[in-house]
């Protein structure tokens, strides 16, 4: 018998595979992508937090990847880690979750633990996943143990990974709760037990809504503080000296990644469809944060105007096109919207990113490897992401005009968000 099957081998599933293998569990990875399966079995990683050597180490423990769902028939636990993007209606698109359930359901045996880790609205595990699995497996409620555990993967975080980040686990019956707690206790340092699946689902949405709303707050404040000619970055620095009651958030060109631009909308959609009214904080935060790329472009136009240049025909260099520093992940990166808006205004857009070999935004061109030469050649250089590989002092010295959207530079000639 196998200990674990992880369904979905991306940024969430693969770190779980790694920690489970390191804990001595027998692990199989299940993914619908033949390319992902073949790549992993050949020792190639496709996520930032695991390199090829680490994939090789996993294979040496007996890990294997497959696209054959019959593997779950031998598993004690199955964890679903598939994407839940936004649907056209603004709620979570559960097609991948439902597809995973349909794939594994017919092969489940009595006593198997099934855990959903995909971020979604409260009620998904009890109202969608459990009924579907029971129908497809033919197992009764007392034969199938279903739980929910929100993923808390932070790509590129060198301090907190899956093992040392507390793991929230919720189930709606005592047997499933204990089985889920016991399973995760073999893999992570700390398990936090929720009273049910809805509470566990909601905890993840609260975490990311908290960040979403506070980022929107500082983004809006940065805009009017600029108009008031007050250095908002200094304001944040000063407020941060208070040892209680304040947590610093900083503005930026928008929000990106797999959580902040997406997850709070699940809760907003659930409130609106089930209760009949809006979640105004989330809707306002979404409006502010999604408007930041347009604001960045308006500031770019003003800075070029100060040089007696139009956006049309000017060369604008974008530094850092990933959604967070020092990783290659570009999901929901605001850099895409910034580039597209500049192209629509007729700018010549170049980009540089040490983690991105090619960028699929039609009309942009790579600045090559020499970032200092590219900055010296551009009419305006925009720091969108503060990768540690960037020598910001040297970039400041080389650029004709530098617009820093991350508040990481200190030069008097640099313009900050």
């Amino acid at each position: 018998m196998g200990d674990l099957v992880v369904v979905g081998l991306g940024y969430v599933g693969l770190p779980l595979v790694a920690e489970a293998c390191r804990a001595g569990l027998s692990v199989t990875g299940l993914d619908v992508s033949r390319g992902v399966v073949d790549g992993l079995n050949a020792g190639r990683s496709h996520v930032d937090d695991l390199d090829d050597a680490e994939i090789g180490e996993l294979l040496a423990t007996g890990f294997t990847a497959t696209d054959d769902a019959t593997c779950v028939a031998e598993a004690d636990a199955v964890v679903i880690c598939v994407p839940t993007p936004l649907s056209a209606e603004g709620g979570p698109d559960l097609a991948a979750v439902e597809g995973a359930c349909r794939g594994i359901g017919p092969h489940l045996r009595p006593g198997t633990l099934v855990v959903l880790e995909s971020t979604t609205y409260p009620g998904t595990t009890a109202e969608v996943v459990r009924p579907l699995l029971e129908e497809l497996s033919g197992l009764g409620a007392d034969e199938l143990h279903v739980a929910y555990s929100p993923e808390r993967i932070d790509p590129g975080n060198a301090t907190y990974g899956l093992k040392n980040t507390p793991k929230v686990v919720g189930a709606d019956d005592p047997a499933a709760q204990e089985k889920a707690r016991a399973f995760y206790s073999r893999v992570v340092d700390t398990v936090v037990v929720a009273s049910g699946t809805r509470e566990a689902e909601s905890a993840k949405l609260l975490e990311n809504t908290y960040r979403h709303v506070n980022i929107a707050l500082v983004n809006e404040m940065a805009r009017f503080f600029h108009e008031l000619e007050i250095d908002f970055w200094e304001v944040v620095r000063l407020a941060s000296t208070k040892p209680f009651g304040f947590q610093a958030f900083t503005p930026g060109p928008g929000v990106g990644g797999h959580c902040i631009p997406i997850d709070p909308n699940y809760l907003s959609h659930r409130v609106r469809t089930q209760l009949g009214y809006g979640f105004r904080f989330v809707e306002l935060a979404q409006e502010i944060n999604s408007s930041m790329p347009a604001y960045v472009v308006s500031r770019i136009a003003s800075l070029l105007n100060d040089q007696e240049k139009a956006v049309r025909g000017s060369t604008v260099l974008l530094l850092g096109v990933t959604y967070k520093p020092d990783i290659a992940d570009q999901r929901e990166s605001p850099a895409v919207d910034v580039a597209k808006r500049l192209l629509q205004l007729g700018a010549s857009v170049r980009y540089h990113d040490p983690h991105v070999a090619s960028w699929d935004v039609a009309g942009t061109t790579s600045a090559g490897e020499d970032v200092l030469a590219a900055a010296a050649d551009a009419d305006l250089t925009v720091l969108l992401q503060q990768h540690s590989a960037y020598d910001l002092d040297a970039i400041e010295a080389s650029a004709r005009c530098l617009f820093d959207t991350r508040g990481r530079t200190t030069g008097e000639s640099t313009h900050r968000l």
Side-chain angles (χ1 to χ4, degrees):
M1 302 296 290
D3 291 313
L4 172 65
V5 170
V6 176
V7 185
L9 301 175
Y11 281 87
V12 176
L14 210 51
L16 176 58
V17 166
E19 289 302 338
C21 287
R22 292 164 188 155
L25 276 65
S26 171
V27 185
T28 300
L30 176 62
D31 201 286
V32 295
S33 170
R34 191 71 223 176
V36 167
V37 168
D38 290 342
L40 289 172
N41 287 333
R44 296 192 301 272
S45 178
H46 57 282
V47 301
D48 287 294
D49 288 345
L50 293 166
D51 58 28
D52 290 352
E54 289 171 304
I55 298 300
E57 293 171 3
L58 301 182
L59 294 172
T61 70
F63 166 71
T64 185
T66 182
D67 58 0
D68 182 0
T70 61
C71 64
V72 304
E74 302 298 318
D76 292 327
V78 181
V79 180
I80 300 172
C81 304
V82 296
T84 47
L86 286 180
S87 68
E89 294 76 30
D93 182 349
L94 297 181
V97 171
E98 293 173 351
C101 291
R102 289 191 170 87
I104 67 175
H107 309 291
L108 295 173
R109 58 183 177 81
T112 303
L113 170 68
V114 180
V115 184
L116 177 65
E117 286 204 6
S118 305
T119 306
T120 185
Y121 61 82
T124 301
T125 305
E127 300 166 17
V128 178
V129 173
R130 172 180 276 282
L132 191 53
L133 291 177
E134 290 180 355
E135 174 189 348
L136 293 166
S137 67
L139 299 174
D142 58 340
E143 297 177 291
L144 187 62
H145 303 300
V146 180
Y148 183 81
S149 180
E151 60 89 3
R152 285 172 158 177
I153 299 298
D154 185 19
N157 191 323
T159 303
Y160 289 103
L162 190 146
K163 182 173 174 57
N164 66 345
T165 300
K167 199 80 172 80
V168 172
V169 177
D172 295 324
D173 65 85
Q177 186 72 282
E178 174 54 27
K179 192 152 191 173
R181 185 205 62 76
F183 163 70
Y184 280 109
S185 293
R186 300 176 65 186
V187 180
V188 302
D189 295 339
T190 305
V191 175
V192 181
V193 177
S195 60
T197 56
R198 288 175 176 82
E199 288 74 16
E201 290 162 337
S202 300
K204 175 62 182 292
L205 299 183
L206 173 59
E207 293 168 16
N208 285 334
T209 300
Y210 170 80
R211 294 172 61 198
H212 189 45
V213 169
N214 280 281
I215 291 169
L217 171 67
V218 294
N219 276 337
E220 185 166 36
M221 291 183 76
R223 293 163 73 155
F224 67 69
F225 270 93
H226 172 70
E227 296 297 321
L228 294 171
E229 298 184 345
I230 297 171
D231 185 346
F232 185 61
W233 300 98
E234 183 179 359
V235 172
V236 174
R237 179 180 65 81
L238 295 171
S240 299
T241 62
K242 186 179 182 181
F244 55 89
F246 180 81
Q247 180 180 352
F249 285 81
T250 55
V255 292
H258 62 299
C259 290
I260 304 301
I262 306 295
D263 298 356
N265 293 287
Y266 300 160
L267 189 54
S268 178
H269 182 265
R270 184 65 164 176
V271 169
R272 187 170 291 280
T273 56
Q274 186 166 339
L275 302 180
Y277 52 84
F279 187 178
R280 290 177 292 170
F281 265 112
V282 164
E283 292 165 2
L284 179 58
Q286 183 68 20
E287 178 186 334
I288 293 169
N289 287 335
S290 63
S291 72
M292 288 306 292
Y295 174 71
V296 167
V297 171
S298 72
R299 290 284 302 276
I300 289 170
S302 293
L303 290 170
L304 289 170
N305 186 64
D306 290 343
Q307 302 175 53
E308 299 183 350
K309 296 176 181 177
V311 176
R312 183 173 299 279
S314 292
T315 299
V316 179
L317 172 65
L318 306 180
L319 300 183
V321 297
T322 60
Y323 86 87
K324 67 181 299 187
D326 299 329
I327 64 171
D329 195 344
Q330 303 164 46
R331 288 176 292 176
E332 306 296 328
S333 172
V336 174
D337 196 9
V338 170
K340 288 180 176 179
R341 289 174 180 275
L342 287 170
L343 290 166
Q344 290 171 355
L345 293 175
S348 173
V349 180
R350 308 182 74 193
Y351 77 92
H352 179 279
D353 194 304
H355 301 278
V356 179
S358 61
W359 197 33
D360 188 22
V361 177
T364 63
T365 58
S366 171
E369 295 184 4
D370 192 340
V371 65
L372 298 184
D377 182 60
D379 294 298
L380 179 67
T381 298
V382 185
L383 179 67
L384 293 178
Q385 197 53 264
Q386 68 273 22
H387 295 308
S388 59
Y390 286 143
D391 183 340
L392 296 181
D393 290 338
I395 290 172
E396 279 188 279
S398 298
R400 298 185 194 176
C401 181
L402 178 62
F403 179 31
D404 175 8
T405 69
R406 296 292 180 175
R408 296 296 174 139
T409 56
T410 58
E412 292 184 2
S413 61
T414 296
H415 304 271
R416 281 170 285 279
L417 189 67

